[in-house]
């Protein structure tokens, strides 16, 4: 993979090789190139403009062709869009119901699209699009970006891993020091990075030990080396390791403390791995490993930390539980709510937590602080995101017993003081401006199941819709072969379901209902086969839906033919804002707000939820499990969609405003405006919510 491809997608920057000759691009030539980039919604920064105009014509053409190809993929302009009704939305608005029905029947019987007389003429695009700027970068900044990604204090996405792996493959062994930090805090990331180094024969075996502290760290490496799920949420089929690989894993395991207890957490996996590693062959060299496997295989008695804690909590032996948990502060923090609601001696629990708080990680402290700051708010649901590579959300009724307000505030104060003290050790910020709109953006902790998108965000974050009264969803997919296996016919249905303020169903727009008789909402037509690719669009006129009583819109993709998205050659979705939907082409790259690659191992995707009253887009990027008693369409998944909608709109997570304000309190002074600030935290400038790898590496520390 071209490194500029990664740099462009992640940071909207590219590098340009310096040229010392006297060549200079003709103004007309460069102007034409800039105009073509505008059509895709992008513009060159002044620095990049100056750099490329000094290139020889041949070098510029190579750079430009790759840049355009990459930008087209980023916004979805690399494919052809042929909806059933090319004159959408007017053609659907004006067509008779009988004709819409007959056209659908014709397509279902033949898989061919209807032939229309004449061609729909479209006015030129009348939108004034704000162009996205491509900046001039350099190799040092690129390596820092990848290093920050590796140093993230939370899980990273499949796209992140692809980028890291491509960079490791491209760099020479001596260059890897630029991207490899002395410590990789999040152990899932450790496992992936080291497995990538091993795969590309670039691992410095003498220095691997510094990255592994526990048996689970080593297990994750074995899983990653076997191309499995490093979160350990899914089973894995271990590869057959060579002798050198077996010795490496056993050597790393031998140094871990504690060993047996940690291995018991994943007992069955370790037994399966032991059948491959054959520790008995090396029992003289790795005696602790052999002893641990003997206990696991033969079910010998062993009292673990977790079993002792569970026993103490079961019989409400708070003092015993505290004595145990204070030795493991992270586990203490995760069980804090359970402890407080299970005892009358809350003062002692708070006091003990205060003694252990310095050893609790920043991500956990931020989440504990957020939890107890909203603990007494009335909520219908408690929301959970289960660990794993599929983006699912679970919601259960909130029936937690009440905890005294004073106790909750004490916990919040303890967390805040610990975080401020920790952040105060970092370099000073000077005067800093913190944009209040950052309250709408969540702190990135876990990105393992995040999709590859034009603009990456954290689930539950709320984006302003932008100008325009119509939001246009789009989807594109293709059938064919994946890893030599044919997909067969693929039918992906784009749908939008409207609900009122209380999440009561209002109406839906889908292949079963191409247009609304109540407000302005239209579907471009249902396409049921895609050998050359297929596309569907939905237009929603916001004022007319609000006037009718609608508020929330859940956008969804449903795999009617039941293939999971991970088994398709390509599938993506996204949205545009349009002021005049009839002008320009149906798909205008420059108007794309975001584009999402849908690759999950599931058959239903919910990319976003709209709050039309607040004019915000709630970033969800979720998967929904199908109800087996219904066809996989929007009607058959109403219960799950309502629950998902309620969960995401009621979600309470740590936000970036609170995080950055803690940093300012610790190491800066608050500025009233960006103009008077040395450091800017904002939505459009300075450090933004889209700088996820920098936030995870340098601010969640």
């Amino acid at each position: 993979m071209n490194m500029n491809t990664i740099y462009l997608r992640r940071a909207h920057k590219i590098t340009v090789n310096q040229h010392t000759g006297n060549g200079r691009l003709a103004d007309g030539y460069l102007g034409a190139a800039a105009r073509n980039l505008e059509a895709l919604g992008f513009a060159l920064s002044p620095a990049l403009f100056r750099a490329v105009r000094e290139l020889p014509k041949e070098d510029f053409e190579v750079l430009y062709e790759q840049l355009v190809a990459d930008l087209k993929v980023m916004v979805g302009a690399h494919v052809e869009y042929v909806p059933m009704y090319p004159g959408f939305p007017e053609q659907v608005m004006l067509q008779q119901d009988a004709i819409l029905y007959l056209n659908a029947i014709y397509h279902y019987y033949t898989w061919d699209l209807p032939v229309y007389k004449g061609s729909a003429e479209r006015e030129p695009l009348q939108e004034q699009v704000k162009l996205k700027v491509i900046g001039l970068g350099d190799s040092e900044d690129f390596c820092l970006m990848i290093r920050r990604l590796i140093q993230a204090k939370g899980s990273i996405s499949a796209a992140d891993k692809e980028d890291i792996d491509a960079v490791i493959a491209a760099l020479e062994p001596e260059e890897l020091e630029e991207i490899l930090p002395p410590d990789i805090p999040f152990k899932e990331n450790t496992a992936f990075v080291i497995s990538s180094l091993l795969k590309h024969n670039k691992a410095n075996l003498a220095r691997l030990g510094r990255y592994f502290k526990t048996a689970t760290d080593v297990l994750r490496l074995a899983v990653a080396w076997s191309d499995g799920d490093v979160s350990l949420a899914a089973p894995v089929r271990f590869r057959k390791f060579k002798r050198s690989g077996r010795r490496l894993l056993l050597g790393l395991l031998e140094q871990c403390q504690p060993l047996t207890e940690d291995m018991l957490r994943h007992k069955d996996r370790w037994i399966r791995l032991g059948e491959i590693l054959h520790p008995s062959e090396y029992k003289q060299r790795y005696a602790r490993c052999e002893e641990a496997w003997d206990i696991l295989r033969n079910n010998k008695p062993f009292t673990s930390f977790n079993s002792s804690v569970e026993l103490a909590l079961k019989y409400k032996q708070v003092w015993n539980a505290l004595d145990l948990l204070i030795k493991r502060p992270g586990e203490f923090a995760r069980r804090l709510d359970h402890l407080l609601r299970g005892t009358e001696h809350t003062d002692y629990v708070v006091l003990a937590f205060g003694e252990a708080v310095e050893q609790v990680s920043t991500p956990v402290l931020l989440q504990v602080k957020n939890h107890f700051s909203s603990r007494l708010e009335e909520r219908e649901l408690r929301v959970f995101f289960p660990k794993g590579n599929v983006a699912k959300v679970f919601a259960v009724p909130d029936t937690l017993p009440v905890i005294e307000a004073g106790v909750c505030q004490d916990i919040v104060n303890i967390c805040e003081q610990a975080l401020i003290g920790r952040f105060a050790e970092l370099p000073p910020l000077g005067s800093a401006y913190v944009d209040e709109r950052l309250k709408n953006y969540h702190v990135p902790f876990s990105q393992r199941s995040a999709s590859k998108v034009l603009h990456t965000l954290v689930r539950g974050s709320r984006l302003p819709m932008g100008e325009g009264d119509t939001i246009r969803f789009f989807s594109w997919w293709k059938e064919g072969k994946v890893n030599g296996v044919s997909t067969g016919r693929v039918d992906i249905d784009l749908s939008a379901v409207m609900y009122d303020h209380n999440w009561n169903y209002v109406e839906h727009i889908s292949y079963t209902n191409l247009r609304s008789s109540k407000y302005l909402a239209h579907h471009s037509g249902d396409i049921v086969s895609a050998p050359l690719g297929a596309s569907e669009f939905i237009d929603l006129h916001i004022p007319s839906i609000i006037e009718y009583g609608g508020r929330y819109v859940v956008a969804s993709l449903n795999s009617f033919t039941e293939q999971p998205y991970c088994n398709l050659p390509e599938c993506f979705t996204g949205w545009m804002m349009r002021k005049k939907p009839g002008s320009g082409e149906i798909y205008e790259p420059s108007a794309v707000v975001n584009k999402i690659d849908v690759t999950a191992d599931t058959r239903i995707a919910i990319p976003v939820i709209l709050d039309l009253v607040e004019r915000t887009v709630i970033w969800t990027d979720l998967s929904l499990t199908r109800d087996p008693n219904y066809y996989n369409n929007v009607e058959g998944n109403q219960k799950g969609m309502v629950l998902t909608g309620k969960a995401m709109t009621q979600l309470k997570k740590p936000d970036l405003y609170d995080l950055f304000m803690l940093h300012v309190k610790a190491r800066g002074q608050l500025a009233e405006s960006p103009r008077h600030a040395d450091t800017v935290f904002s939505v459009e400038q300075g450090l933004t919510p889209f700088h996820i790898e920098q936030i995870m590496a340098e601010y969640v520390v």
Side-chain angles (χ1 to χ4, degrees):
M1 182 184 292
N2 187 300
M3 294 299 102
N4 262 346
T5 298
I6 296 174
Y7 205 9
L8 178 66
R9 174 165 43 79
R10 299 195 70 90
H12 285 188
K13 294 180 182 179
I14 60 173
T15 61
V16 177
N17 294 328
Q18 292 184 346
H19 183 71
T20 57
N22 297 321
R24 185 181 176 91
L25 289 173
D27 290 344
Y29 191 74
L30 186 55
R35 191 62 178 263
N36 292 338
L37 293 177
E38 283 186 20
L40 294 173
F42 293 87
L44 304 181
S45 71
L48 181 56
F49 191 89
R50 289 191 295 270
V52 299
R53 79 179 308 166
E54 300 300 324
L55 292 175
K57 182 173 179 290
E58 295 77 13
D59 291 357
F60 173 76
E61 287 177 346
V62 172
L63 180 75
Y64 171 75
E65 288 176 6
Q66 184 65 53
L67 177 61
V68 169
D70 291 337
L71 292 176
K72 284 184 175 180
V73 172
M74 286 168 60
V75 299
H78 61 300
V79 298
E80 184 179 4
Y81 293 84
V82 184
M84 176 175 282
Y85 292 100
F88 176 83
E90 284 84 354
Q91 194 173 3
V92 177
M93 295 167 62
L94 302 175
Q95 196 65 265
Q96 297 178 11
D97 289 341
I99 301 300
L100 293 175
Y101 174 77
L102 290 174
N103 285 340
I105 294 298
Y106 172 79
H107 177 58
Y108 296 158
Y109 284 165
T110 67
W111 296 354
D112 294 329
L113 295 180
V115 178
Y116 306 99
K117 295 181 180 180
S119 59
E121 294 188 8
R122 310 184 73 89
E123 301 176 21
L125 182 67
Q126 297 181 13
E127 317 289 325
Q128 292 294 322
V129 178
K130 184 178 180 180
L131 300 176
K132 295 172 277 289
V133 177
I134 305 170
L136 177 63
D138 55 55
S139 59
E140 183 178 347
D141 181 65
F142 175 81
C143 288
L144 178 60
M145 178 186 72
I146 299 299
R147 186 184 179 97
R148 285 169 172 164
L149 188 58
I150 293 173
Q151 286 183 293
K153 307 304 190 298
S155 61
I156 56 179
S157 70
D160 296 333
K161 293 175 182 177
E162 289 176 9
D163 292 345
I164 292 172
D165 186 68
V167 173
I168 289 175
L171 294 181
E172 296 298 325
E174 59 272 14
E175 296 176 309
L176 290 173
E177 291 301 318
E178 293 292 320
I179 67 167
L180 291 178
D183 179 52
I184 304 176
F186 197 74
K187 296 310 178 182
E188 290 182 25
N189 302 342
T190 302
F192 171 77
V193 171
I194 301 305
S195 70
S196 177
L197 290 168
L198 291 167
K199 180 175 70 174
H200 297 294
N201 297 314
K202 295 181 180 179
N204 184 334
L205 299 182
R207 300 173 65 182
L208 287 187
R210 64 182 179 179
Y211 294 119
F212 297 88
K213 302 294 191 297
T214 70
T216 303
D217 295 346
V218 180
L219 178 61
R220 292 188 199 278
L221 175 59
V223 169
W225 209 351
S226 305
D227 297 323
D229 176 9
V230 292
S231 75
L232 306 181
V236 62
R237 185 181 182 87
F238 290 109
R239 59 178 289 178
K240 299 297 182 182
F241 297 101
K242 296 179 180 179
R243 281 187 173 272
S244 59
R246 289 158 54 192
R247 289 195 298 269
L248 171 63
L249 292 172
L250 289 170
L252 292 173
L253 186 61
E254 185 76 8
Q255 70 178 9
C256 294
Q257 295 285 351
L259 183 58
T260 305
E261 179 179 334
D262 200 21
M263 290 175 71
L264 282 168
R265 294 175 56 205
H266 303 282
K267 179 180 176 181
D268 292 340
R269 292 176 194 246
W270 278 113
I271 291 175
R272 291 198 302 273
L273 183 57
E275 294 168 354
I276 296 172
L277 297 184
H278 305 296
S280 58
E281 292 183 13
Y282 307 94
K283 59 184 179 181
Q284 300 301 323
R285 187 173 180 180
Y286 306 118
R288 296 180 65 243
C289 292
E290 168 64 13
E291 180 184 359
W293 257 293
D294 180 50
I295 292 173
L296 267 63
R297 289 197 200 100
N298 298 303
N299 294 315
K300 292 186 175 180
F302 190 93
T303 302
S304 69
F305 173 84
N306 283 332
S307 63
S308 298
V309 172
E310 292 295 340
L311 195 64
L313 292 175
K314 179 179 179 180
Y315 292 102
K316 298 186 181 299
Q317 297 171 345
V318 178
W319 309 114
N320 290 344
L322 286 177
D323 287 341
L324 290 166
L325 289 170
I326 204 165
K327 299 173 184 176
R328 298 194 181 180
E331 189 68 22
F332 191 173
R334 294 182 180 92
R335 293 176 180 264
L336 187 54
D337 195 295
H338 190 173
L339 279 166
L340 289 170
R341 65 178 187 262
T343 181
E344 297 178 355
H345 305 291
T346 55
D347 289 348
Y348 293 100
V349 175
V350 172
L351 184 63
F353 180 67
E355 294 177 3
V357 70
E358 293 299 332
Q359 304 303 316
V360 180
S361 70
T362 296
V364 173
L365 277 184
L366 288 168
Q367 293 176 79
V368 170
K369 176 180 178 295
N370 175 79
H371 171 76
F372 283 96
S373 65
S374 59
R375 179 64 168 76
L376 301 182
E377 295 179 7
E378 290 188 11
R379 290 176 294 185
E380 181 181 353
L381 300 170
R382 295 172 62 205
V383 181
F384 307 92
F385 295 92
K387 184 185 292 187
N389 290 331
V390 177
K392 296 180 179 179
V393 59
F394 292 156
V396 298
D398 186 1
T399 57
L400 289 178
V402 173
I403 295 176
E404 291 182 13
V407 173
C408 292
Q409 189 58 51
D410 287 342
I411 297 297
V412 171
N413 293 340
I414 289 172
C415 293
E416 182 167 326
Q417 291 168 12
L419 289 167
I420 290 175
R422 188 171 301 175
F423 296 159
E425 298 177 2
L426 300 174
L429 295 172
S431 59
Y433 172 76
V434 184
D435 190 339
E436 287 207 7
R437 291 176 296 173
L438 292 170
K439 293 177 180 179
N440 292 322
Y441 297 85
H442 292 175
V443 176
F445 295 123
S446 173
Q447 294 291 100
R448 70 170 60 86
S449 57
S451 300
K452 183 186 291 186
V453 298
L454 176 58
H455 298 295
T456 303
L457 276 174
V458 180
R459 289 187 184 91
S461 295
R462 293 173 176 255
L463 297 78
M465 281 187 186
E467 297 182 9
D469 288 336
T470 298
I471 188 166
R472 175 170 294 175
F473 290 111
F474 62 87
S475 64
W476 192 93
W477 74 95
K478 190 177 187 297
E479 60 198 43
K481 288 188 176 181
V482 177
N483 298 324
V485 179
S486 174
T487 61
R489 181 177 71 89
V490 178
D491 179 7
I492 305 296
D493 294 317
L494 179 65
S495 306
V497 191
M498 278 70 79
Y499 301 90
D500 66 12
H501 293 253
N502 297 315
W503 282 96
N504 297 309
Y505 169 81
V506 176
E507 192 185 38
H508 67 270
I509 299 297
S510 70
Y511 73 91
T512 63
N513 186 37
L514 295 188
R515 63 187 179 197
S516 174
S517 60
K518 305 166 185 175
Y519 38 78
L520 295 175
H522 310 91
H523 192 292
S524 67
D526 179 30
I527 297 181
V528 299
S529 179
L532 301 177
S535 57
E536 295 181 5
F537 296 84
I538 290 177
D539 271 11
L540 302 173
H541 183 250
I542 298 169
S544 66
I545 298 175
I546 294 175
E547 184 178 353
Y548 189 78
R551 174 169 183 174
Y552 299 110
V553 176
V554 179
S556 68
L557 283 181
N558 300 272
S559 178
F560 187 86
T561 43
E562 293 298 304
Q563 297 93 341
Y565 296 110
C566 61
N567 289 346
L568 302 183
E570 188 171 10
C571 180
F572 59 82
T573 186
W575 75 93
M576 304 172 246
M577 291 300 299
R578 304 297 287 264
K579 296 177 183 177
K580 191 171 183 181
S583 69
E585 298 299 323
I586 297 178
Y587 187 87
E588 284 284 355
S590 63
V592 172
V593 178
N594 218 339
K595 174 235 178 188
I596 308 159
D597 289 347
V598 184
T599 59
D601 186 11
T602 184
R603 296 164 179 81
I604 303 169
I606 301 177
V608 293
I609 296 173
L610 308 181
D611 185 336
L612 302 183
V613 173
E614 294 189 0
R615 288 188 63 90
T616 57
V617 177
I618 303 169
W619 185 255
T620 53
D621 188 17
L622 290 173
S623 301
L624 182 67
T625 303
R626 176 176 77 88
D627 185 330
N629 297 319
Y630 294 90
Y631 289 113
N632 192 11
N633 56 24
V634 69
E635 291 91 336
N637 292 294
Q638 280 302 303
K639 184 177 180 181
M641 294 178 82
V642 169
L643 191 62
T644 299
K646 286 183 176 181
M648 295 306 296
T649 52
Q650 296 178 15
L651 194 62
K652 297 285 187 181
K653 292 290 184 182
D655 61 67
L656 290 178
Y657 179 83
D658 186 43
L659 173 65
F660 294 143
M661 285 296 290
L662 288 171
H663 277 274
V664 174
K665 290 178 182 178
R667 54 190 180 119
Q669 306 84 42
L670 194 61
E672 295 182 357
S673 71
R675 291 176 301 177
H676 304 100
D678 301 312
T679 306
V680 175
F681 303 104
S682 182
V683 175
E684 292 102 2
Q685 58 180 308
L687 190 67
T688 74
F690 306 104
H691 293 100
I692 286 183
E693 60 270 352
Q694 185 175 354
I695 295 170
M696 293 178 77
E698 298 180 0
Y699 289 86
V700 188
V701 294

